[in-house]
Amino acid sequence: MIKFIVIHYTGMKSESSAIKRLCDENKNVSAHYFIKKNGQILNLVPDLYIAWHAGKSSWQKYKSINKNSIGIEIQNPGHDNRYENFTSKQLGSLKILLKILIRKYKINLKNILGHSDIAPERKKDPGEKFPWKNLANHKLAIWHSLKESSLKKIRKKRLNKNEEIIFIKSLNKIGYRIIKRLSFNSNKKFITKAFQRHFRQNLVNGIPDQECYLISKNLLKS
């Protein structure tokens, strides 16, 4: 049963190389959809087939998200290759595709996720340049309802130990999973960075602060 849509960037310099890799049965990686820089959408794997896009992953009570999700790859060189803004044509096509998929499979907007959300210790995509707020404005994702100007005033204000624990528990309630083999400090860093790449994109440092704390509480109310 499809419950999630997971958005990725390719992380490869060449668009043709990315498509070739996703279509190579020996690479053990695939995605349902690929969005080219010019906005063209390629359907590489039928929706109801499992595509190998998520890898080792978890969200809420779900593990190995591949079997419950549709994966969308967007061409972008990524953090290791001069990460760049997504094109307006890519985003226009993505919005059209998301509208279709959300309606067709009755996807909860809280389950429109990035690869880094479901695999925070391994992945950074689609990254802090991905316009989650813009998608939310079109009812294609979720975003908080707090004023950016007010939040900026409390950015970098540190949390006390108790607030840190509450913050991590809030992330867990949102869906971010504790990685059992990692220490608390490592867990805190990885899932905080993933949270920031999605919901506090102006500063991704892995350090919980009052801004992150308030955003997490606001998301739980929605």
Side-chain angles (χ1 to χ4, degrees):
M1 182 178 180
I2 296 171
K3 293 187 67 70
F4 305 98
I5 296 174
V6 182
I7 298 171
H8 309 253
Y9 63 43
T10 61
M12 298 181 71
K13 295 178 183 178
S14 164
E15 187 167 88
S16 59
S17 296
I19 295 170
K20 184 178 179 181
R21 184 169 183 264
L22 289 166
C23 294
D24 188 340
E25 61 182 15
N26 296 314
K27 296 298 184 183
N28 295 319
V29 60
S30 58
H32 296 90
Y33 295 92
F34 183 97
I35 302 179
K36 300 173 70 173
K37 278 200 166 186
N38 65 5
Q40 182 182 2
I41 300 172
L42 306 180
N43 186 192
L44 304 180
V45 178
D47 289 0
L48 299 181
Y49 284 45
I50 294 175
W52 302 99
H53 63 94
K56 188 175 182 181
S57 53
S58 59
W59 186 258
Q60 298 169 347
K61 64 181 181 180
Y62 294 86
K63 294 182 180 180
S64 299
I65 304 295
N66 281 327
K67 61 181 178 288
N68 297 109
S69 65
I70 287 177
I72 301 174
E73 287 274 0
I74 306 174
Q75 173 57 29
N76 189 298
H79 290 82
D80 295 334
N81 299 297
R82 295 186 178 180
Y83 183 40
E84 58 191 34
N85 291 324
F86 298 87
T87 70
S88 59
K89 289 183 178 179
Q90 284 177 322
L91 296 175
S93 295
L94 175 64
K95 288 172 185 175
I96 293 169
L97 179 58
L98 285 176
K99 284 178 184 177
I100 293 169
L101 295 175
I102 290 168
R103 189 183 306 118
K104 185 175 183 179
Y105 299 109
K106 297 179 174 57
I107 305 290
N108 188 316
L109 296 187
K110 293 180 180 180
N111 292 337
I112 311 295
L113 305 168
H115 200 184
S116 60
D117 293 317
I118 62 172
E121 81 279 24
R122 298 188 301 110
K123 297 296 180 177
K124 298 178 181 178
D125 59 312
E128 59 276 9
K129 291 184 179 182
F130 185 78
W132 288 109
K133 184 178 179 181
N134 184 277
L135 289 188
N137 289 339
H138 288 81
K139 294 182 171 55
L140 299 172
I142 64 165
W143 193 256
H144 60 80
S145 59
L146 302 168
K147 288 185 178 180
E148 302 286 350
S149 56
S150 299
L151 286 172
K152 195 172 181 180
K153 294 176 183 177
I154 56 173
R155 184 173 298 167
K156 293 187 179 181
K157 287 190 176 182
R158 299 295 294 267
L159 303 177
N160 60 42
K161 289 295 181 184
N162 187 53
E163 287 172 330
E164 274 196 11
I165 292 170
I166 294 171
F167 172 67
I168 297 301
K169 286 183 177 179
S170 293
L171 294 197
N172 189 241
K173 290 176 183 176
I174 290 169
Y176 294 91
R177 307 311 300 166
I178 297 298
I179 304 147
K180 291 183 179 179
R181 59 184 172 77
L182 298 181
S183 67
F184 176 78
N185 284 335
S186 294
N187 267 297
K188 179 177 70 175
K189 179 182 177 182
F190 282 121
I191 64 177
T192 298
K193 274 192 170 185
F195 175 81
Q196 290 168 340
R197 283 195 171 96
H198 195 136
F199 296 107
R200 204 279 296 275
Q201 300 178 311
N202 291 320
L203 179 61
V204 179
N205 59 5
I207 301 171
D209 59 22
Q210 291 291 339
E211 182 181 20
C212 296
Y213 184 73
L214 284 185
I215 291 171
S216 66
K217 290 178 71 175
N218 182 266
L219 289 170
L220 286 174
K221 288 179 183 178
S222 63

